[in-house]
Amino acid sequence: MAESWSFLDAFEPNFRPLVVIELAKGTKEETLKWFTKRIVDKKANGGAQLLVKPLVTESGDENIYLVGASHLRLLLGAETVGLVKECNDNSMRTFTYSSRKTFKDFADDNHNFLTMAECQYIVKHELENLRAKDEKMIPGYPQAKLYPGKSIVRRLLTSGILVQIFPLHDREELKKLRQSWYGRVKVGYQPLDEIRCYFGETIALYFGFLEYFTFALIPMAVIGIPYYVFAWEDYDKYVMFATFNLLWSTVILEVWKRICAIMTYRWGTLLMKRQFEEPRSGFHGVLGINPVTGREEPVYSSIKRQIRIYLVSLPFVCLCLYFSLYVMMIYFDLEQWALDYHEENESNFSNLMLFVPSIIYAVVIEIMNRIYRYAAEFLTSWENHRLESSYQNHLILKVLVFNFLNCFASLFYIAFVLFDMKLLRQSLATLLITSQILNQFAESLLPYWLQKRHKKRTKKRISSLKTDTDLSLVEQVNLEKEMGTYFGTFDDYLELFLQFGYVSLFSCVYPLAAVFAVLNNITEIYSDALKMCRVYKRPFAEPTANIGVWQLAFETMSVISVVTNCMLIGMSPQVNALFPDSKMDLILTVALVEHLLLAIKFIMAFVIPDKPRDIQIKLARLEFESLEALKQQLKLFHLYPTGCGGRAGVAGWGVEQSLLL
């Protein structure tokens, strides 16, 4: 029998498992030896120079490996990925091993200088940058072709040899985080710094935005309640509410940019330099030379990609949009049928039937959105985008266009074609509340229930094994490897985007929209925290400086809200009474007001800085110091082109780097 985990651990007392690698059952022995050798090999030999241990179980038929790294290796990796840490003078600087003593809380024996999330990110980076040298194929699998520079991990994944890679949870830290995050119901802010340390900046920024957006909705909710109580049928009074809506939607997004800059500066990601983006794992093409890096990698014609986008993807999206409009017209036929039924049979049952078409339509919208999402992912992958950022941008554009039309087309039709404000209020309320209930159930409650059932079965199976392995670790890995995979914040931001649309576009007609949004988001914070800690595998930390393309999406929605609210104001009887003789004058006045408000909106966006003044000064000072340091280096190299002066700046690095060679 193979040695147990405890036996192996005796030889590496400082080994801490960070990442789990699961290979397919029945993977050939020569493949396992080759892959693990590349992981532990020195950097000079093309390896990652990490630590790897097999997780030995009684059955012995599972190829699961635990990956870690020495403290020195992690520190050098931190420099490689460009982590930014706080210095003793309270400034934020890119970490370098040679100047490690200048960073706050650094000590040679302090293994907590880097958070576990940062360590796992470094390990992931090193594994993904394991590249083929002179291999032509994966050993044991002739069909899995390799070429110089190809990512080994990506080839293993696409070939089905590598099942998954995921970071391990830290049970003690997770327990503390759960207690301070959602362990008890309390009124207060989320522990965003702790979330960032455990899950990384991308997850922390999402929860920061969710919290900020919830607080930003409170003024709308507070104003909306008296409007709902005292102006239920008096649409003249929503002019002021719509005007406030315009200013609100602009200000909250500009203020968020500043809050985001403050947080990401404190976390160090605002200063991280973007590295050259590698080709995404699904990208394929003929082997060629990258003109920028000079490395061999797949090359695919941009003309072919454009043909796929404009001759296949675009017509398909248009067809889906047409189908969405067709379903919308069926919904209006059902609305008319329910109204006729109510007029013929006035009763409590007929009153309830008036809400049935909207509820059915809301459910159909959610189903169509999810089906379309899979189709959009397939199409975007088939378009064969080279970069992950390009893939994400095209996917988000496809999904946003369809979701916007699918969710809001019926409301625009009711408001500006049927001019039925009562039906608009009813449809908005039904769509908003139904979508929130369905999302809470599908995203959190159902996965949590399924995970609880699976956890009980796994614990029962593990406890029945008679093995000398470390049961706690075996149990943890077996539980986590069967958990669902968190695919990122895409769906979470999409839900907030649609919610922002419901509130900013038509809440003047249904002022309680903001109230329901606040209630939903409060429960969303707890349910999303629950699923991150209990339902899904721990995601790899991903450094980020902002919420990315979603900021543009929200700003676009705020522009649309200006147009929509101006049109709603122009339709109000109060405004119409000012132009009794000429509707053209009314239209021109509304258009003029709309353009003025848009101009004010863009002026506000320009006047309100994206970064606070103190952060702008700190960034400028760092840029100045970098330029001065570069000048000094150039002077040294000019004075001592081959002498010791030219090497003085890297002497400390060279001593430690030699340990890796």
Side-chain angles (χ1 to χ4, degrees):
M1 176 180 170
E3 292 86 2
S4 70
W5 162 259
S6 300
F7 175 79
L8 289 169
D9 195 38
F11 288 94
E12 290 287 350
N14 295 324
F15 179 83
R16 179 174 64 154
L18 295 170
V19 174
V20 177
I21 294 178
E22 182 184 5
L23 292 107
K25 292 182 180 180
T27 302
K28 296 180 181 179
E29 190 67 25
E30 59 180 308
T31 308
L32 296 175
K33 290 182 179 179
W34 170 76
F35 184 44
T36 53
K37 183 177 183 300
R38 290 301 301 269
I39 293 175
V40 301
D41 239 352
K42 292 185 177 182
K43 294 284 285 184
N45 299 330
Q49 200 158 346
L50 301 172
L51 304 175
V52 61
K53 303 287 186 184
L55 182 73
V56 183
T57 59
E58 182 68 22
S59 58
D61 60 346
E62 294 181 305
N63 296 313
I64 299 177
Y65 292 85
L66 303 172
V67 182
S70 66
H71 183 51
L72 171 61
R73 182 69 188 87
L74 291 172
L75 292 175
L76 295 176
E79 179 172 348
T80 302
V81 300
L83 290 185
V84 175
K85 307 291 284 184
E86 187 176 5
C87 294
N88 292 323
D89 61 358
N90 297 323
S91 64
M92 303 295 294
R93 299 178 189 277
T94 303
F95 178 80
T96 58
Y97 189 81
S98 58
S99 60
R100 61 193 180 279
K101 301 291 186 181
T102 63
F103 288 88
K104 184 175 289 187
D105 299 327
F106 180 86
D108 291 327
D109 57 349
N110 180 16
H111 289 215
N112 295 321
F113 175 71
L114 298 175
T115 66
M116 189 176 182
E118 289 172 337
C119 295
Q120 290 167 334
Y121 172 68
I122 292 167
V123 171
K124 172 177 174 278
H125 176 270
E126 296 298 340
L127 289 174
E128 288 183 340
N129 280 277
L130 275 177
R131 301 191 176 278
K133 298 177 71 178
D134 52 359
E135 300 95 337
K136 301 297 182 184
M137 63 178 186
I138 300 292
Y141 295 89
Q143 73 279 8
K145 303 296 184 184
L146 287 175
Y147 50 82
K150 174 65 179 175
S151 171
I152 292 173
V153 169
R154 291 178 181 177
R155 173 57 74 206
L156 289 170
L157 282 169
T158 55
S159 302
I161 303 169
L162 182 58
V163 177
Q164 60 179 336
I165 300 178
F166 63 92
L168 268 177
H169 276 295
D170 184 320
R171 289 183 171 184
E172 291 302 317
E173 289 299 319
L174 184 61
K175 186 177 180 180
K176 294 177 184 176
L177 179 60
R178 287 206 305 252
Q179 187 63 25
S180 62
W181 196 3
Y182 69 91
R184 60 185 184 275
V185 178
K186 63 184 187 303
V187 178
Y189 295 104
Q190 297 178 92
L192 294 179
D193 289 332
E194 287 80 359
I195 297 170
R196 174 254 170 180
C197 288
Y198 194 85
F199 288 109
E201 290 78 15
T202 299
I203 304 297
L205 268 186
Y206 161 69
F207 281 100
F209 182 75
L210 174 58
E211 179 181 87
Y212 169 78
F213 184 53
T214 304
F215 277 103
L217 283 167
I218 292 177
M220 291 286 289
V222 171
I223 295 174
I225 292 175
Y227 264 87
Y228 176 81
V229 174
F230 301 111
W232 178 250
E233 296 293 344
D234 188 356
Y235 295 107
D236 293 350
K237 295 182 180 179
Y238 68 61
V239 173
M240 291 299 297
F241 191 87
T243 305
F244 176 78
N245 201 343
L246 297 176
L247 299 174
W248 171 83
S249 62
T250 300
V251 171
I252 65 166
L253 294 176
E254 294 304 316
V255 173
W256 164 251
K257 290 180 184 178
R258 295 170 63 85
I259 294 175
C260 182
I262 293 171
M263 285 194 299
T264 53
Y265 178 82
R266 186 173 71 247
W267 295 341
T269 53
L270 188 63
L271 302 172
M272 284 188 70
K273 295 181 179 179
R274 184 179 179 87
Q275 297 178 336
F276 180 77
E277 196 170 353
E278 299 288 340
R280 54 186 294 269
S281 58
F283 178 66
H284 58 84
V286 180
L287 186 62
I289 302 296
N290 186 304
V292 178
T293 64
R295 292 198 298 255
E296 282 190 308
E297 65 177 45
V299 176
Y300 188 77
S301 171
S302 59
I303 297 177
K304 291 182 180 179
R305 184 180 300 112
Q306 297 301 319
I307 290 174
R308 291 187 175 191
I309 292 173
Y310 292 109
L311 297 187
V312 179
S313 296
L314 183 60
F316 176 80
V317 172
C318 293
L319 181 64
C320 291
L321 296 178
Y322 172 78
F323 180 75
S324 174
L325 293 176
Y326 182 77
V327 172
M328 181 189 74
M329 299 312 297
I330 295 176
Y331 155 66
F332 285 118
D333 291 340
L334 289 176
E335 281 284 358
Q336 187 61 45
W337 172 83
L339 184 62
D340 294 341
Y341 179 83
H342 175 66
E343 291 176 352
E344 294 176 5
N345 308 281
E346 290 194 14
S347 63
N348 291 332
F349 178 74
S350 66
N351 280 327
L352 291 175
M353 287 298 294
L354 290 175
F355 292 91
V356 170
S358 296
I359 294 174
I360 294 175
Y361 185 51
V363 174
V364 170
I365 283 176
E366 290 299 318
I367 294 173
M368 290 171 62
N369 284 344
R370 295 182 185 277
I371 293 175
Y372 176 82
R373 168 73 183 275
Y374 292 116
E377 287 178 347
F378 173 80
L379 269 180
T380 311
S381 179
W382 178 72
E383 289 168 5
N384 198 26
H385 296 278
R386 178 185 175 274
L387 302 179
E388 184 65 27
S389 58
S390 176
Y391 170 85
Q392 289 295 333
N393 289 340
H394 280 80
L395 175 61
I396 289 173
L397 179 61
K398 289 185 182 71
V399 173
L400 285 185
V401 168
F402 181 81
N403 277 258
F404 181 84
L405 186 73
N406 204 26
C407 295
F408 299 113
S410 61
L411 301 178
F412 280 103
Y413 186 82
I414 294 170
F416 304 120
V417 177
L418 300 181
F419 305 107
D420 190 339
M421 295 301 166
K422 186 175 181 180
L423 179 59
L424 177 62
R425 183 179 64 239
Q426 174 188 315
S427 298
L428 175 60
T430 307
L431 286 174
L432 178 63
I433 296 171
T434 305
S435 64
Q436 289 178 348
I437 293 173
L438 291 176
N439 282 324
Q440 290 283 1
F441 177 77
E443 292 182 6
S444 299
L445 297 180
L446 180 60
Y448 178 70
W449 178 72
L450 294 173
Q451 180 59 26
K452 289 277 285 187
R453 288 187 60 191
H454 168 74
K455 188 174 182 178
K456 288 180 180 179
R457 291 197 303 267
T458 304
K459 280 188 174 181
K460 186 176 181 180
R461 178 170 59 85
I462 293 295
S463 61
S464 65
L465 294 175
K466 295 180 179 180
T467 177
D468 61 348
T469 58
D470 185 342
L471 275 179
S472 62
L473 183 65
V474 172
E475 179 184 347
Q476 180 183 357
V477 172
N478 277 279
L479 284 173
E480 291 185 23
K481 77 183 182 69
E482 298 297 335
M483 285 180 171
T485 301
Y486 182 68
F487 291 108
T489 55
F490 184 96
D491 290 326
D492 298 313
Y493 278 119
L494 179 61
E495 184 179 347
L496 291 180
F497 171 79
L498 296 177
Q499 185 185 96
F500 179 70
Y502 285 127
V503 173
S504 63
L505 294 177
F506 299 106
S507 63
C508 61
V509 177
Y510 184 62
L512 286 186
V515 177
F516 283 111
V518 169
L519 295 175
N520 174 79
N521 288 357
I522 291 173
T523 59
E524 185 83 11
I525 289 173
Y526 286 94
S527 61
D528 282 355
L530 177 70
K531 75 181 182 182
M532 292 302 303
C533 296
R534 300 288 296 275
V535 176
Y536 292 117
K537 297 184 187 75
R538 183 179 186 173
F540 280 105
E542 289 293 339
T544 186
N546 48 55
I547 62 174
V549 71
W550 290 105
Q551 180 76 36
L552 177 61
F554 278 88
E555 289 174 351
T556 303
M557 180 68 81
S558 70
V559 172
I560 298 173
S561 74
V562 171
V563 180
T564 303
N565 280 275
C566 285
M567 293 177 68
L568 288 172
I569 292 172
M571 290 167 52
S572 68
Q574 185 181 24
V575 175
N576 272 263
L578 300 175
F579 301 90
D581 300 325
S582 175
K583 293 299 179 185
M584 182 57 67
D585 290 344
L586 172 62
I587 294 172
L588 292 175
T589 302
V590 170
L592 177 62
V593 171
E594 172 212 318
H595 282 68
L596 287 175
L597 287 173
L598 284 174
I600 293 172
K601 175 182 173 62
F602 291 125
I603 291 172
M604 289 174 61
F606 177 76
V607 169
I608 301 175
D610 292 349
K611 301 179 183 68
R613 176 67 176 169
D614 60 328
I615 291 183
Q616 292 182 32
I617 293 173
K618 290 176 181 177
L619 294 176
R621 184 183 299 132
L622 284 175
E623 185 176 355
F624 172 76
E625 290 175 358
S626 297
L627 290 174
E628 289 298 309
L630 181 60
K631 290 178 183 177
Q632 292 300 322
Q633 278 191 334
L634 290 174
K635 287 180 181 178
L636 285 174
F637 278 108
H638 282 301
L639 290 172
Y640 308 102
T642 59
C644 60
R647 297 189 298 272
V650 294
W653 162 258
V655 173
E656 303 297 344
Q657 181 71 357
S658 64
L659 296 174
L660 296 179
L661 300 178

